[in-house]
Amino acid sequence: MHHTTGCDSIVYLHLSILPSPLLHHIPDTVILPGQSLTLHAGGADIYTWQNSSGTVLSNDSVTTVSPSASTTYYLTAFNQGGNLVYNGDFELGNTGFSTAYTYSSRFLSAGYYCVDTNAHNHHSGFTGSHDHTSGSGNYMMANGEYLIGTNVWTQVINVQPLTDYAFSVWGSNLSPYPEQAMAQLQFSINNVQLGDIHTIPTPLETWTQFYEVWNSGNNNVATLTISNLSTIAVGNDFGIDDIHFASLSTCQSSDTIHVYVGHHHD
């Protein structure tokens, strides 16, 4: 009789099922000629607004339109999976990423950065007293390098091929002189620029989210990079926080909003 020895094995497969967004948005609306209307939506992580010709108007939950004639707007929304970025909120401090900037607790010159809770504690001319995550945690604060394309933040992440991912970051202006220059963030993956240049807006103590969507194609690895394209030293100072990279749900929600342009009748 033939005897076989060995051990049985059990393989556990963990599946992450992402629900489609429970999308809600502004109803169909009538406006007068020359009026503007803010379209807003909620219930999802990622939004795309397009007009009837397919032009992307906004990747935010809100967008403002001023149609001269009745127009249909198209809204597409996704939910994100779990964040694949390590220490994307910087709560573990200055670890888990690489950068071409130089770390210093006194970042008085261009190309230096720090990870802490309040930029003013490290540069008397900066304003930035709270992070985006909790209001009291860490974030990355940088005295913007004026050599174009200097990498601010880089991390290498394993990915699944043929999958859509969203790459996002929250940015904040730290300088009291933004009229001279504002930071211009550019995303890239595997050394290929991704999407638009994102200019951090001027209001101090305000966090704004920027994101792009990327399909992994045949890639198994994604080298994520955030660089600053501004070439002016004064005013080019910024904070970043809550860096997020996650797969998008295979199911999406979409809807249309009709904006009717009416006329006065005498």
Side-chain angles (χ1 to χ4, degrees):
M1 179 180 294
H2 178 71
H3 296 278
T4 302
T5 60
C7 298
D8 291 333
S9 62
I10 300 174
V11 176
Y12 294 94
L13 180 63
H14 297 277
L15 297 177
S16 177
I17 307 299
L18 299 176
S20 297
L22 297 175
L23 189 60
H24 54 87
H25 57 76
I26 185 173
D28 294 347
T29 305
V30 177
I31 64 173
L32 296 175
Q35 284 187 324
S36 297
L37 177 68
T38 298
L39 307 178
H40 55 83
D45 296 325
I46 300 294
Y47 305 87
T48 299
W49 295 93
Q50 295 175 287
N51 60 19
S52 56
S53 64
T55 301
V56 175
L57 305 177
S58 172
N59 287 325
D60 201 349
S61 60
V62 298
T63 189
T64 300
V65 298
S66 303
S68 58
S70 297
T71 304
T72 299
Y73 296 95
Y74 298 86
L75 172 63
T76 305
F78 300 88
N79 279 337
Q80 291 178 295
N83 190 10
L84 299 177
V85 173
Y86 175 74
N87 194 31
D89 59 6
F90 299 99
E91 293 311 302
L92 298 178
N94 184 38
T95 186
F97 63 95
S98 59
T99 177
Y101 281 48
T102 302
Y103 188 88
S104 175
S105 62
R106 299 291 292 172
F107 53 105
L108 302 179
S109 301
Y112 286 80
Y113 80 101
C114 188
V115 175
D116 204 356
T117 60
N118 190 333
H120 186 73
N121 294 338
H122 303 273
H123 190 304
S124 60
F126 285 178
T127 300
S129 63
H130 61 270
D131 73 334
H132 170 259
T133 313
S134 65
S136 60
N138 291 334
Y139 65 98
M140 183 179 182
M141 47 197 73
N143 191 323
E145 175 61 78
Y146 47 84
L147 297 177
I148 190 168
T150 304
N151 291 346
V152 177
W153 178 97
T154 299
Q155 190 173 120
V156 179
I157 293 176
N158 294 326
V159 296
Q160 296 295 321
L162 303 175
T163 302
D164 286 330
Y165 290 86
F167 183 14
S168 66
V169 64
W170 289 83
S172 181
N173 172 50
L174 302 181
S175 172
Y177 308 107
E179 67 279 359
Q180 299 187 46
M182 290 178 283
Q184 297 178 330
L185 302 185
Q186 173 73 66
F187 295 166
S188 64
I189 298 181
N190 296 341
N191 295 317
V192 177
Q193 290 187 348
L194 178 65
D196 298 328
I197 297 171
H198 301 288
T199 300
I200 295 181
T202 57
L204 295 169
E205 304 287 345
T206 300
W207 289 94
T208 303
Q209 186 183 38
F210 310 103
Y211 81 89
E212 298 290 344
V213 174
W214 174 75
N215 185 276
S216 57
N218 294 323
N219 291 287
N220 293 298
V221 173
T223 300
L224 311 181
T225 300
I226 301 171
S227 57
N228 180 20
L229 301 187
S230 178
T231 59
I232 301 175
V234 178
N236 174 25
D237 308 299
F238 57 95
I240 60 174
D241 199 9
D242 288 337
I243 303 170
H244 198 101
F245 184 76
S247 63
L248 296 176
S249 60
T250 55
C251 295
Q252 67 186 40
S253 294
S254 59
D255 210 338
T256 56
I257 296 90
H258 304 286
V259 178
Y260 301 98
V261 179
H263 297 273
H264 283 298
H265 296 283
D266 296 329

